């Protein structure tokens, strides 16, 4: 029996792509979701990564993805909920729509996918099955500029606890809560300096540290309902 694939949502770029590539390196079959087609996806496809389009900005879009996922595989080794929009807060007419957008991508999509793909995880022939939620340092600490984003990530962190209790003992459910891992393409050196100063370790580590945390969770057989803080000691500042 061939190994069951690992699903990473939002795997077309940055942290999700890095983890998809590293999982391939480690011999796992990988499925990613992506929202926007782009040439960079072809390199993943050439490595045998299955790429499924998904737009989690509506319940219909989430359910369309779930249908595509179920048409693609009859088992899953793990699900990594990585897809995310780092939207700042907006005022006025758009504030509610902004909040709902973040709720859907960070909470509704993981919630519905976890519920509807439970049998795919149970069908995995390997002893370990995992769900990993990518949350954020600000879920536990708040954010003055990303209030809705932080709240939606806090909701995802709470879903970690509930799904861990519901899916034990056959499926482990954990989260990774990063602080600054990698800069955005528009971030300048001044921003980078400020970001480095926020953590005790004073670095912007890059995506490798996220894969180390994911690997740890996937290889652990005695870890569930936990959020791994990956913040370089930001909580000490
Ligand atoms: N980067 C960092 O320093 C930090 C990251 N994190 C968390 O780690 C995870 C990865 O971060 P990063 O790689 O920077 O993430 P990105 O900002 O690069 O987003 C990842 C992917 O999410 C997809 N996505 C966004 N909105 C939607 C949607 N509505 N429906 C479907 N897909 C969507 C995008 O797809 P597409 O590009 O195809 O549109 C994008 O490629 C995220 O959950 C993030 O919140 C937490 C703290 C720090
Ligand atoms: N979906 C995303 N979420 C987050 C990003 C990002 O680029 N995409 N970036 C951050 C920042 O690095 C933040 O941690 C800096 O303090 C947070 N979330």
């Amino acid at each position: 029996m061939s190994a069951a694939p690992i699903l990473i949502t939002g795997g077309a770029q940055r942290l999700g792509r890095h983890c998809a590539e590293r999982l391939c390196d480690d011999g796992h079959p990988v499925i990613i979701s992506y929202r926007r087609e782009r040439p960079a996806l072809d390199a993943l496809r050439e490595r045998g990564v299955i790429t499924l389009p998904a737009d989690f900005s509506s319940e219909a879009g989430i359910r369309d993805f779930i249908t595509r996922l179920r048409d693609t595989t009859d088992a899953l080794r793990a699900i990594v909920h990585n897809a995310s929009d780092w939207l700042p807060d907006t005022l006025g007419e758009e504030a509610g729509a902004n909040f709902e957008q973040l709720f859907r991508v960070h909470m509704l999509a993981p919630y519905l996918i976890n519920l509807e793909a439970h049998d795919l995880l149970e069908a995995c022939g390997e002893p370990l099955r995992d769900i990993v939620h990518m949350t954020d340092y600000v879920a536990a600490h708040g954010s003055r500029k990303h209030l809705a984003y932080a709240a939606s990530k806090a909701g995802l962190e709470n879903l970690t606890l509930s799904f861990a209790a519901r899916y034990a003992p056959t499926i482990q459910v954990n989260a990774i809560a990063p602080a600054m891992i990698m800069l955005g393409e528009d971030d300048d050196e001044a921003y980078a300096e400020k970001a480095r100063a926020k953590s005790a370790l004073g670095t912007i580590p890059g995506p490798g540290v996220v894969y180390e945390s994911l690997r740890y969770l996937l290889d652990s057989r005695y870890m569930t309902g936990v959020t791994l803080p990956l913040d370089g000691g930001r909580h000490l500042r």
Side-chain angles (χ1 to χ4, degrees), residues 2-234:
S2 60
I6 294 177
L7 166 66
I8 301 184
T9 66
Q13 64 184 36
R14 293 164 59 82
L15 307 189
R17 181 185 183 97
H18 178 83
C19 289
E21 291 169 342
R22 297 288 298 276
L23 287 170
C24 284
D25 295 342
D26 286 349
H28 293 281
V30 174
I31 299 170
I32 69 156
S33 85
Y34 67 93
R35 185 175 48 172
R36 291 172 291 123
E37 180 60 56
R38 71 266 254 171
L41 284 167
D42 292 336
L44 289 173
R45 292 165 179 146
E46 283 159 20
R47 293 198 65 177
V49 173
I50 295 173
T51 59
L52 299 179
D55 188 339
F56 300 146
S57 56
S58 70
E59 181 172 348
I62 297 166
R63 292 191 180 277
D64 283 348
F65 168 74
I66 291 168
T67 300
R68 267 190 291 282
L69 175 67
R70 298 188 65 87
D71 289 344
T72 300
T73 186
D74 54 12
L76 285 171
R77 162 65 181 81
I79 302 173
V80 183
H81 291 289
N82 171 79
S84 170
D85 241 338
W86 192 37
L87 296 177
D89 299 293
T90 49
L91 301 177
E93 289 295 307
E94 288 307 305
N98 191 60
F99 193 103
E100 289 174 352
Q101 164 85 354
L102 291 163
F103 161 75
R104 289 193 186 99
V105 65
H106 295 148
M107 288 186 66
L108 188 61
Y111 175 73
L112 291 177
I113 293 168
N114 288 351
L115 289 177
E116 299 292 338
H118 178 238
D119 62 319
L120 301 182
L121 288 163
E122 292 288 358
C124 176
E126 301 167 58
L128 299 178
R129 302 126 173 151
D130 290 89
I131 294 172
V132 179
H133 297 154
M134 292 302 298
T135 63
D136 190 306
Y137 169 88
V138 297
H141 296 83
S143 169
R144 66 171 67 87
K145 294 181 182 172
H146 295 82
L147 290 81
Y149 166 87
S152 62
K153 288 287 192 175
L156 181 56
E157 219 153 88
N158 184 267
L159 284 172
T160 308
L161 300 171
S162 299
F163 275 109
R166 184 184 178 109
Y167 284 179
T170 51
I171 300 166
Q172 296 179 149
V173 185
N174 294 291
I176 299 169
M180 167 64 87
I181 298 295
M182 66 188 291
L183 295 167
E185 57 191 25
D186 300 331
D187 294 337
D188 60 17
E189 184 49 35
Y191 180 87
E193 272 307 303
K194 275 177 62 181
R196 277 190 279 269
K198 285 182 180 177
S199 73
L201 297 180
T203 60
I204 299 174
V209 297
V210 173
Y211 187 70
E212 289 165 7
S213 300
L214 176 60
R215 190 74 261 168
Y216 173 74
L217 292 174
L218 293 175
D219 293 341
S220 169
R221 51 192 170 80
Y222 198 57
M223 180 82 76
T224 197
V226 167
T227 293
L228 288 184
L230 189 62
D231 64 20
R234 180 164 171 186

